[in-house]
Every structure is written in C-alpha cells, then in structure tokens.
Amino acid sequence: MGVVNVTPDSFSDGGVFDDDAAAIAHAHRLIAEGAEIVDVGGESTRPGAAPIPVEEELERVIPVIEGISGARISIDTMKLAVAEKALDAGAGYVNDVTAFRHDPELAGLVADRGVDCCLMHMLGEPRTMQDDPRYDDVVDDIKAFLEERMAFAVKAGVREERIQLDPGIGFGKTLEHNLELLRRLDELVALGRPIVVGTSRKSFLGRLTGRDVTERVHATVATNVIAYERGARVFRVHDVAATRDALEVAAATFARWPQTPTRTSTTTS
Ligand code: HH2
C-alpha cells in the first residue's frame, strides 16, 4: 500500500504533493514501483495535528482519486462524508484510523458499498496521543480493541472478509510499545484477518537510527520484513520500490520453508 498524502503538513512529505497533478503523478509512480493499493489522505494524523473541515478534505482528495488509474484506491479518512464521495469517485477501500469511532455510520457505508476497510488502533486522538501513553499489556489491549471494533463493524453489516486490522504503529505508543507490537504481531494475526502495518518513516525509527524523516527507508524496510515474518500482509509505505523488493525476498524465503518455526509455533518432529 503506497501512501499519497495530499496535505500541507504530513509528517514526512507534507506539502510535497499538495497540488493535484503532483499527487496523481506520485500515485502512478508508486503503482509502477509495485503498489497494489494507493492510500490517498487529505488530513494529517501526525502527533499534534488538528482536524480540518470536511470541505477542505474533499477539495484535496477527490480530484486526486479521480485522476488515478491502475491500482485499488484507498481513502484514508475518519469522516463519513469524505468516504462517501471518495467511493463515488472510484475508491474501493476505506482506511479509518479511528476504526469507526469518529463516525460510527461509516461502518454502514462500508457495508452498503461492499468495500474493504482497515480498522486501526489509536490511543486517544492525534492532538494528544503521544502524551504518556500507557497500557496494561500493549498487545493484549490492542488485540481486545481490534476484536471489539471488528464485532462492531460486523454488527453494522460489514462482512468479516472485508475487514483488515492494524495495530496503529506510532498512534499513542512509545518506542518500546512499537517494538513489542512488531515482535508479537503473530498474536494479532491470530484474530484471523489480514494485518496491516504502517511503520513508514515514523519517529521511532528516527529515535533508533538517528536519521531524519526522509532517510528512514532502510529502517522502514527492516520493520516490514520483520512484520512479514510475523504474519502481516499489508504494508503501508512511502517508499514502495525498496519495500517491494524486500518483501519479494521475504515471501520467497518463507514460502519455500513453510515450516520455519516462529516465536510461538511448536514443532512436532
Ligand atoms: N499511519 C499514518 C496515516 N494513516 N493508516 C493506517 N492504516 N496505518 C498507519 O500506520 C497510518 C495510517 C501516518 O502516516 P502519514 O500518512 O505518512 O502521515 P500523516 O498522518 O502526517 O499524513
């Protein structure tokens, strides 16, 4: 999943693709590099970000969605009105970082249109989420949250096979929380739905490597290979070409050794 941010203020590429033509060209570049989904977002959810009005978000994302061809288009929004118009314009996947908590009716829209969705965990809201986040057990707490949100979506009519789940790396998590989530991702895979991970260029990678935001591609690739090995299957990234190559190698390796023991598996022979 390649990231197309049509915003002035996203944490790693804010302002770079905020005119329609540049964003569309960028989406097509990511598709040529191997993205199967492009995730178009018009509102930053970086720590500290303030919400923007519906009209502004629509003005940013709709012309871009209309201009993209050649891959599935995801709309990265928490707003019902934005998702509705994005689906009308050609999107076929709703990526909601609030997991239908901001606009619970969004679940009904996803159900009616029969599209896929990603339900993500976030502690609190972007404005405050990095202020001392705490969990009893970060993986158990997030697993319970995702289970509850999946049940909510199914009750609203979304078919279970349409749901993907995301632990929300960096959304109300310390460095240690993010690393523990990656290490124990197999416990979320046990929920039975595809796991999406979004580590791309995030600040915990800057803390580990000392690199600036645009220099975190190697660190991002490392996390995605780890996540693949732990069972994740959708990788939301800014740098598609590098990630795609790494995942081809990881996939070939593990597909040829399906019995490779993982941290929790047991061997019988
Ligand atoms: N991360 C961001 C935005 N949307 N969606 C999912 N499912 N998972 C994520 O980890 C995720 C997401 C934040 O990254 P980015 O879009 O690059 O930045 P910003 O929110 O500042 O636009």
Side-chain angles (χ1 to χ4, degrees), residues 33 37 41 84 115 164 167 174 185 190 196 206-207 248-250 263:
E33 288 179 6
I37 306 172
E84 194 163 19
V115 295
Q164 306 192 343
T174 63
L185 211 53
V196 181
R207 282 196 53 203
E248 295 288 1
V249 174
R263 196 179 58 78

Side-chain angles (χ1 to χ4, degrees), residues 38-87:
V38 284
D39 188 38
V40 179
E43 178 177 65
S44 174
T45 49
R46 75 186 189 286
I52 61 163
V54 168
E55 284 313 317
E56 203 172 328
E57 198 174 331
L58 284 172
E59 274 167 31
R60 291 179 186 176
V61 298
I62 299 302
V64 174
I65 290 171
E66 286 172 347
I68 298 174
S69 56
R72 294 179 68 197
I73 302 171
S74 160
I75 175 67
D76 185 353
T77 190
M78 61 181 80
K79 300 192 184 96
L80 175 69
V82 174
E84 194 163 19
K85 295 232 161 35
L87 295 179

Side-chain angles (χ1 to χ4, degrees), residues 31-259:
I31 293 166
E33 288 179 6
E36 289 172 14
I37 306 172
V38 284
D39 188 38
V40 179
E43 178 177 65
S44 174
T45 49
R46 75 186 189 286
I52 61 163
V54 168
E55 284 313 317
E56 203 172 328
E57 198 174 331
L58 284 172
E59 274 167 31
R60 291 179 186 176
V61 298
I62 299 302
V64 174
I65 290 171
E66 286 172 347
I68 298 174
S69 56
R72 294 179 68 197
I73 302 171
S74 160
I75 175 67
D76 185 353
T77 190
M78 61 181 80
K79 300 192 184 96
L80 175 69
V82 174
E84 194 163 19
K85 295 232 161 35
L87 295 179
D88 292 344
Y93 183 115
V94 174
N95 175 24
D96 180 3
V97 299
T98 76
F100 301 149
R101 289 179 298 157
H102 178 78
D103 257 345
E105 306 80 33
L106 190 43
L109 177 74
V110 167
D112 290 347
R113 301 292 185 95
V115 295
D116 289 348
C117 62
C118 176
L119 306 181
M120 197 197 79
H121 175 270
M122 168 167 37
L123 190 68
E125 49 164 352
R127 208 193 300 256
T128 54
M129 66 190 178
Q130 288 305 111
D131 300 347
D132 193 24
R134 284 165 194 253
Y135 299 87
D136 288 336
D137 176 294
V138 67
V139 178
D140 290 351
D141 290 7
I142 288 175
K143 188 173 176 186
F145 171 90
L146 293 174
E147 223 165 354
E148 188 277 321
R149 294 323 293 163
M150 183 155 65
F152 172 84
V154 168
K155 202 162 168 219
V158 180
R159 284 170 41 207
E160 203 172 304
E161 54 271 35
R162 291 291 185 192
I163 301 173
Q164 306 192 343
L165 302 172
D166 185 335
I169 299 290
F171 284 84
K173 279 107 188 165
T174 63
L175 168 63
E176 279 310 322
H177 292 145
N178 291 323
L179 296 178
E180 187 162 358
L181 280 164
L182 285 174
R183 198 161 51 237
R184 294 172 56 195
L185 211 53
D186 50 336
E187 295 175 42
L188 301 182
V189 173
L191 289 169
R193 301 305 314 142
I195 297 296
V196 181
V197 285
T199 57
S200 191
R201 301 183 180 177
K202 284 185 178 168
S203 66
F204 78 109
L205 301 177
R207 282 196 53 203
L208 289 171
T209 62
R211 302 267 178 207
D212 282 344
V213 75
T214 54
E215 296 172 348
R216 296 177 189 159
V217 58
H218 305 92
T220 299
V221 166
T223 57
N224 283 318
V225 170
I226 294 165
Y228 181 89
E229 191 274 339
R230 293 290 181 216
R233 287 299 175 264
V234 182
F235 307 87
R236 183 182 181 279
V237 294
H238 302 84
D239 305 286
V240 169
T243 306
R244 178 92 209 190
D245 281 2
L247 290 173
E248 295 288 1
V249 174
T253 305
F254 293 115
R256 283 172 207 179
W257 277 274
Q259 304 307 323

